[in-house]
């Protein structure tokens, strides 16, 4: 199997080149109380964040980018990139969306221009950083989270506990909520070919051997309330290119996308992006833009 295929598959399965090992737990808390503002004003009252700037989250520098103007009644759109990607990957999408809405993105700790985490992170730790970012860019106003790959998983995990502010979700080929079980189901522990390498790397990454030092456990999908949600899965079956296990990987990936519909029972819809690989927002930017704008409009209504 070609190295490029392995890399693509690893990314899709919430994987990246193994990073630093696990060291303790990182303590990340909100640096300031949420400001009473719906326009993205900063706690210091200096006005909405515009352009790319660093904000402080418990002594760690987090890189944030915002563009576009706030529109009364419409949520701020916050883009969340996949594992191993910085906000620059979604810059073109942000530019397109900011023609109609205020749109922000950020580098999670360990990604892009943000600081590295001081130790192992949990999904809850990552959520605390997201809360601090939302406080800065949206105040106490509503937001729509649009996440790709791991960013989609984190958005969907965050929303149920923050229904006061997350009013819509767009999940673009989001990492399956049961990735570890999925890979173990398809590739047996007895595998001795390239599948064995893929299995070992995926399990290691989910245990925290990744740039964010983020441990990603499997978990049941919880409801985030009656909010508009669009789940978009890739249409080009690139996982099928993995010898022996490809068709099985495609099957469990599709099952994972179906599971995400439970984040908003009755209102979540699943579509397939034809002619798109894992990076839907790049391969089919038109579909990504329309989906995010639809959800934002529905959330505003």
């Amino acid at each position: 199997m070609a190295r490029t295929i392995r890399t693509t598959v690893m990314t899709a399965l919430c994987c990246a080149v193994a990073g630093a090992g696990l060291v303790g737990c990182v303590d990340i808390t909100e640096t300031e109380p949420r400001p009473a503002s719906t326009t993205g004003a900063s706690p210091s009252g200096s006005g909405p964040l515009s352009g790319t700037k660093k904000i402080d989250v418990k002594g760690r520098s987090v890189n944030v980018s915002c563009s576009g103007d706030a529109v009364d009644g419409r949520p701020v759109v916050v883009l969340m990139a996949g594992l191993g990607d910085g906000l620059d990957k979604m810059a073109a999408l942000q530019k397109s969306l900011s023609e109609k809405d205020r749109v922000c993105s950020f580098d999670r700790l360990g990604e892009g221009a943000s600081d590295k985490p001081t130790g192992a992170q949990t999904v809850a730790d990552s959520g605390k950083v997201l809360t601090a970012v939302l406080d800065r860019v949206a105040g106490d106003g509503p937001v729509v989270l649009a996440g790709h790959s791991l960013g989609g998983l984190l958005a969907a995990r965050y929303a149920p506990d923050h229904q006061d502010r997350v009013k819509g979700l767009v999940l673009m080929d989001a990492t399956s909520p049961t990735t570890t079980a999925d890979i173990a189901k398809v590739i047996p522990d007895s595998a001795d070919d390239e599948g064995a390498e893929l299995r070992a790397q995926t399990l290691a990454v989910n245990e925290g051997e990744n740039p964010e030092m983020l441990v990603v456990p499997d978990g049941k999908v919880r409801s985030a309330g009656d909010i508009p949600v669009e789940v978009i899965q890739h249409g080009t079956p690139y996982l099928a290119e993995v010898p022996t296990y490809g068709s099985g990987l495609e099957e469990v990936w599709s099952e994972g996308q179906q599971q995400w519909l439970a984040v908003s029972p009755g209102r979540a819809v699943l579509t397939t992006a034809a002619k798109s690989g894992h990076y839907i927002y790049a391969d089919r930017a038109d579909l990504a833009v329309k989906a995010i704008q639809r959800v934002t409009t529905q959330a505003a209504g």
Side-chain angles (χ1 to χ4, degrees):
M1 178 173 59
R3 179 178 177 81
T4 54
I5 296 298
R6 282 206 303 270
T7 301
T8 300
V9 173
M10 290 288 287
T11 300
L13 294 172
C14 176
C15 296
V17 177
L22 306 180
V23 183
C25 289
V26 63
D27 178 18
I28 303 169
T29 56
E30 300 173 35
T31 55
E32 304 195 44
R34 187 186 306 178
S37 167
T38 59
T39 60
S42 69
S44 63
S46 59
L49 187 153
S50 181
T52 302
K53 298 179 181 179
K54 302 288 183 67
I55 68 170
D56 180 82
V57 180
K58 192 63 176 180
R60 309 304 290 166
S61 179
V62 176
N63 193 44
V64 181
S65 173
C66 288
S67 53
D69 298 322
V71 179
D72 288 344
R74 288 178 69 84
V76 173
V77 175
V78 178
L79 305 177
M80 299 178 64
L83 184 64
D85 292 335
L87 60 81
D88 59 308
K89 282 277 191 175
M90 306 187 93
L93 177 63
Q94 179 169 327
K95 181 178 180 181
S96 295
L97 291 167
S98 63
E99 294 177 2
K100 293 186 177 180
D101 290 293
R102 175 167 164 79
V103 187
C104 299
S105 57
F106 71 105
D107 292 328
R108 294 187 297 275
L109 294 181
E111 305 288 8
S114 289
D115 284 348
K116 295 181 179 179
T118 57
Q121 293 192 91
T122 65
V123 171
D125 291 328
S126 185
K128 290 175 183 177
V129 174
L130 175 56
T131 293
V133 170
L134 298 185
D135 287 348
R136 180 62 179 85
V137 304
D140 61 359
V143 300
V144 165
L145 302 180
H148 169 251
S149 197
L150 179 63
L153 179 147
L154 294 174
R157 294 291 191 215
Y158 181 86
D161 295 323
H162 299 85
Q163 296 182 39
D164 61 324
R165 69 195 316 175
V166 180
K167 301 303 180 181
L169 291 169
V170 178
L171 309 179
M172 296 173 282
D173 227 27
T175 298
S176 168
T178 52
T179 306
T180 296
D182 294 346
I183 198 77
K185 174 183 176 181
V186 176
I187 305 176
D189 186 49
S190 59
D192 58 4
D193 53 11
E194 290 178 321
E197 178 186 0
L198 178 59
R199 174 188 166 112
Q201 289 179 327
T202 302
L203 298 182
V205 167
N206 287 352
E207 291 172 358
E209 293 185 30
N210 58 70
E212 300 177 37
M213 301 178 71
L214 178 66
V215 179
V216 187
D218 287 354
K220 183 178 180 180
V221 177
R222 295 180 298 135
S223 173
D226 186 32
I227 62 173
V229 174
E230 293 207 21
V231 179
I232 312 172
Q233 65 181 0
H234 65 263
T236 301
Y238 61 89
L239 295 172
E241 298 180 42
V242 180
T244 309
Y245 307 106
S247 61
L249 291 173
E250 283 289 346
E251 183 177 348
V252 294
W253 187 266
S254 181
E255 291 171 355
Q257 304 310 297
Q258 289 281 349
Q259 289 184 63
W260 285 126
L261 296 176
V263 77
S264 182
R267 290 198 71 183
V269 296
L270 172 63
T271 58
T272 299
K275 299 181 180 179
S276 176
H278 185 50
Y279 281 83
I280 293 170
Y281 64 85
D283 295 342
R284 291 301 307 275
D286 57 326
L287 293 182
V289 168
K290 289 177 181 177
I292 295 169
Q293 289 178 338
R294 273 196 304 269
V295 168
T296 303
T297 297
Q298 293 169 16

